[in-house]
Amino acid sequence: MAKNRTFTMLKPDALENGHMGKIIDMIIQAGFEIKAMKFTRLSTEQARKFYEVHAERPFYNELVAYMTSGPIIAAILEKENAVSDFRALIGSTDPAEAAEGTIRKAYAESKGRNAVHGSDSDENAEIEGRFHFSVEEIF
Ligand code: CMP
């Protein structure tokens, strides 16, 4: 199986709660190679654009406010089966439904403040990675 890439963000709650080192370690221990990584903060315009697929959802404004409330870590990760393996590693959107051993089970606060993002397809991983990184920032 060829290696492919996914995109992740460690969200403001993960950083606020001091979980960034432990989450990055779980990602590395699970076999993902970090191809790009950035400590940054989303502007309201960037967050609205990133989550525009959810624009009609009742939680959209809350999601944008939360994702701009503090710094995040954005990263591109590489591994065989990166998208699906990473979604398995992070667990269900709602930590109450996330399996033992997943990042969200260990560190997410709630369905909204759920510690980490993972792309849902190869196509979105590519779009989301390009949203945050220039070619020169990917190794
Ligand atoms: P993620 O799957 O990374 O991207 C979409 C985000 O929307 C999701 O994480 C949650 O943070 C947020 N979200 C999804 N459902 C809800 C909900 N019912 N209430 C609040 N936020 C939500």
Side-chain angles (χ1 to χ4, degrees):
M1 170 90 56
K3 285 186 178 182
N4 60 9
R5 292 179 179 184
T6 191
F7 172 78
T8 186
M9 291 185 286
L10 309 196
K11 299 185 180 184
D13 63 296
L15 273 63
E16 254 171 65
N17 294 330
H19 295 145
M20 121 188 175
K22 286 171 287 189
I23 293 173
I24 293 171
D25 194 48
M26 281 177 82
I27 292 170
I28 293 169
Q29 293 303 322
F32 292 88
E33 193 179 332
I34 295 170
K35 307 302 287 185
M37 183 168 268
K38 185 179 284 184
F39 188 46
T40 186
R41 184 172 182 162
L42 296 177
S43 66
T44 298
E45 191 187 356
Q46 283 176 314
R48 290 183 71 83
K49 174 102 183 96
F50 189 89
Y51 287 111
E52 70 185 350
V53 56
H54 296 302
E56 303 305 321
R57 308 285 281 275
F59 57 80
Y60 179 63
N61 288 337
E62 186 190 327
L63 174 61
V64 169
Y66 154 62
M67 286 302 297
T68 55
S69 67
I72 61 156
I73 289 180
I76 295 173
L77 307 172
E78 189 171 273
K79 188 184 178 296
E80 287 174 4
N81 252 330
V83 167
S84 58
D85 282 7
F86 193 70
R87 286 176 76 82
L89 177 66
I90 66 179
S92 301
T93 305
D94 186 346
E97 292 166 14
E100 284 299 333
T102 62
I103 293 173
R104 283 173 171 157
K105 177 71 177 179
Y107 299 119
E109 287 181 18
S110 64
K111 198 170 186 178
R113 296 170 60 90
N114 63 358
V116 59
H117 167 84
S119 304
D120 63 5
S121 65
D122 288 348
E123 188 192 2
N124 283 337
E126 176 75 19
I127 293 167
E128 292 171 1
R130 277 213 230 116
F131 185 89
H132 285 274
F133 295 99
S134 65
V135 172
E136 294 76 28
E137 293 174 309
I138 303 170
F139 297 97

